[in-house]
Amino acid sequence: MLNMRRLQCVSHRAVFCLCVIGLVFALCLAGWVYLRPGDPVLCLATASSRAMLDRNGRLLYAFLNDDDHWLFARSLDEISPYMIAATIAAEDQRFLRHPGVDPLAVLRAMWQNLRRGRAHSGASTLTMQVVKHAERGPRSLWGKVRQAAHALRLERTAGKEEILHAYLNTMPYGLNLLGCEAASRRFLGKPARELTLSEAALLAGLPKAPSNYMPVEHPEAARARRNYVLRRMFEDGYIMRSDYDRAAAEPITAKRHEFPRLAPHLAMRLRVGSGEGAEIRTTLDYEAQRMVERAVGDAVGSFDRGVTNAAAIVLDTA
């Protein structure tokens, strides 16, 4: 009996010591976060692809960025509201309310992991994912703690809109596509501002596991993930039941679309001397350039003696 009491006493002391250590660690972490706000530049930077635009801002030609990715940074008002709502609903429903770390999600993840006896849920917020993508550190418990601390620091120096902008423009959406604009153009052939509800839910589901939900290669998995995102949007009040039913019934129409490659000679010339992320506005008109290149291509193809070059002059007869 004496030994049992002694063991219980030792056990209580160990638990007490662990609690004290945990409290001290939490206070030190909170103090570090409060006293040393992080530099948001690294996390919020977007290494855009060089792009040549027409007179109205339409994409004529683009180049891979210096890391061999397609990335077309867009402001939030250039992205469909459906895409923004779908992303928050799918990845971090309390994004607008938490300080970078979601305590409720952490408790839920701990409970689920304990019940399953393995890592099942990570409780990562959008802010933590932005930090993780920027730092590219190892996956470990300590790495998760670092992400949480840096997410808290980031939210002290950057607003929610800035963090959401970074997420939508830098997260991987499959292949070598970073950001929803590149994914929208590659899989759906349109800019992100034109996404429908169903299309936005499809793309918003990709960052979770881009290879598994690739709509071109795994349409059924992509459909299931899209419908999950739509259900979350409905449950969180972003859409009505009728919107959910209509969007969930739509087929997956994604396919590989090539990025525009109009006026290539001019693009190559203007690329020289332009820095990463440069957007070069020209006086060309997208529709006119496309029509002329098609007409010239047809004319060259009509020769049977190896003609490969041609030129055109466009006149406004009015």
Side-chain angles (χ1 to χ4, degrees), residues 69-90:
H69 289 108
W70 296 107
L71 191 162
F72 305 103
R74 295 292 182 264
S75 62
L76 294 183
D77 58 8
E78 294 177 298
I79 297 173
S80 168
Y82 288 134
M83 185 68 201
I84 297 173
T87 297
I88 295 175

Side-chain angles (χ1 to χ4, degrees), residues 256-267:
R256 183 183 176 88
H257 295 265
E258 296 300 328
F259 296 116
R261 300 179 65 85
L262 297 175
H265 295 88
L266 178 62

Side-chain angles (χ1 to χ4, degrees), residues 101-135:
V101 176
D102 187 348
L104 294 178
V106 172
L107 292 175
R108 184 188 68 244
M110 292 175 60
W111 172 246
Q112 291 177 347
N113 294 340
L114 287 172
R115 286 186 61 189
R116 295 172 181 265
R118 59 183 175 85
H120 172 72
S121 178
S124 290
T125 62
L126 288 180
T127 312
M128 291 173 65
Q129 293 180 58
V130 168
V131 169
K132 177 183 177 182
H133 181 71
E135 295 186 344

Side-chain angles (χ1 to χ4, degrees), residues 157-307:
T157 53
K160 292 289 186 180
E161 290 189 354
E162 292 178 282
I163 295 169
L164 187 58
H165 174 272
Y167 183 96
L168 290 169
N169 283 297
T170 63
M171 291 302 292
Y173 284 77
L175 303 176
N176 60 341
L177 307 170
L178 296 182
C180 63
E181 178 74 13
S184 181
R185 288 182 176 275
R186 175 64 83 205
F187 295 132
L188 301 168
K190 61 170 66 176
R193 66 173 178 271
E194 298 178 6
L195 290 171
T196 65
L197 172 59
S198 175
E199 293 168 341
L202 176 70
L203 296 187
L206 290 179
K208 178 76 172 179
S211 298
N212 296 340
Y213 301 124
M214 183 72 62
V216 177
E217 298 178 2
H218 308 290
E220 290 307 314
R223 181 198 302 273
R225 176 65 177 168
R226 178 201 66 181
N227 290 352
Y228 165 80
V229 175
L230 289 170
R231 185 167 66 252
R232 291 294 300 267
M233 295 180 73
F234 167 65
E235 292 171 351
D236 291 347
Y238 288 107
I239 58 176
M240 304 291 290
R241 179 72 196 206
S242 57
D243 299 322
Y244 166 79
D245 292 337
R246 183 174 60 256
E250 292 185 15
I252 300 295
T253 59
K255 62 180 182 179
R256 183 183 176 88
H257 295 265
E258 296 300 328
F259 296 116
R261 300 179 65 85
L262 297 175
H265 295 88
L266 178 62
M268 298 294 178
R269 191 174 76 181
L270 294 179
R271 181 188 185 187
V272 177
S274 65
E276 185 176 58
E279 286 193 341
I280 306 167
R281 183 70 69 94
T282 69
T283 58
L284 299 179
D285 178 82
Y286 180 93
E287 293 297 341
Q289 183 68 26
R290 185 176 64 167
M291 180 182 66
V292 170
E293 290 193 18
R294 185 177 300 167
V296 169
D298 291 342
V300 169
S302 66
F303 291 91
D304 58 1
R305 301 220 172 201
V307 176

